[in-house]
Amino acid sequence: MITLPSRIAAVCLLLLATCFAGAAPASATGADGTCPAGGGVTVVVDFGDLGPQPLIRCAPGTPASGIAALQGAGIDVAGSQKYGLAVACRIDGKPGPDVESCAGMPSATAYWSYWHAPAAGGTWESSQEGAQTSKPAAGGFEGWAFARPKTANDLPAPPRVAPVRQAGSTPAPAPAAEGSSFPWGLVIAIAAILLIGGAAWVAARRRRT
């Protein structure tokens, strides 16, 4: 038989669980278009002959690496089974398994090339470091272009989208600061628990009399 105290305890636990679930900090997500000056790192993804139009998105803040910039911009990236994210194999789901299995290193004639440009724009420069360890320039541009050189010795072409800030760019959403908001959910949950406990105590007293 389920007693009244057991019901009260179950309700209290449910309220507390709901409270703490709602208190989880929100993660920052990217925004479409280039970042405003000083407002993050712009990520450009040129799919080449894979089909989709190029992606241009803003990663807020100061991403720790090229991979973090992709993820911060809200773009999915998958590494190889052997090397993980040290080798970017798929970006936004491209290329598909029919082109690349992602088991090890990508083919020398079908792979993602990685590029940089400073905050002032200018021209793309091929990265001399892997995206997992490379540090994006503050307010700069990160570029990815799917390359299909005719031979392994041919150099890849940079993204066809120039690293230029778009006019009228809006600021990227800033990461939510942890602990910056008052814990109203916790206060409400405690008040509800006290009210339920008081009502149960009154009910128990009436039963005794």
Side-chain angles (χ1 to χ4, degrees):
M1 178 179 178
I2 300 176
T3 62
L4 181 60
S6 299
R7 293 178 180 176
I8 294 172
V11 171
C12 292
L13 288 173
L14 179 61
L15 286 171
L16 285 173
T18 304
C19 168
F20 285 112
S27 59
T29 56
D32 287 329
T34 58
C35 297
V41 173
T42 300
V43 180
V44 176
V45 179
D46 184 352
F47 295 94
D49 63 359
L50 294 177
Q53 291 295 313
L55 283 177
I56 305 174
R57 291 184 62 82
C58 177
T62 54
S65 67
I67 293 296
L70 270 172
Q71 295 170 332
I75 301 171
D76 290 333
V77 55
S80 73
Q81 297 172 22
K82 185 174 182 179
Y83 300 102
L85 287 174
V87 176
C89 184
R90 300 194 209 284
I91 298 179
D92 205 35
K94 305 292 183 182
D98 57 320
V99 176
E100 177 57 59
S101 67
C102 291
M105 288 295 293
S107 167
T109 55
Y111 60 93
W112 284 104
S113 60
Y114 178 43
W115 305 77
H116 306 295
T123 58
W124 291 111
E125 294 184 4
S126 180
S127 177
Q128 302 303 306
E129 190 175 354
Q132 197 173 34
T133 57
S134 175
K135 174 70 175 178
F141 294 79
E142 293 277 291
W144 294 84
F146 191 72
R148 283 191 189 267
K150 293 181 180 179
T151 70
N153 295 324
D154 293 336
L155 297 177
R160 293 169 294 180
V161 178
V164 177
R165 214 169 301 283
Q166 297 170 348
S169 295
T170 56
E178 293 186 14
S180 61
S181 59
F182 189 80
W184 288 109
L186 181 59
V187 173
I188 293 172
I190 292 173
I193 291 170
L194 292 174
L195 288 173
I196 294 172
W201 181 81
V202 171
R205 293 275 296 184
R206 287 178 177 175
R207 287 183 181 180
R208 290 174 186 173
T209 57

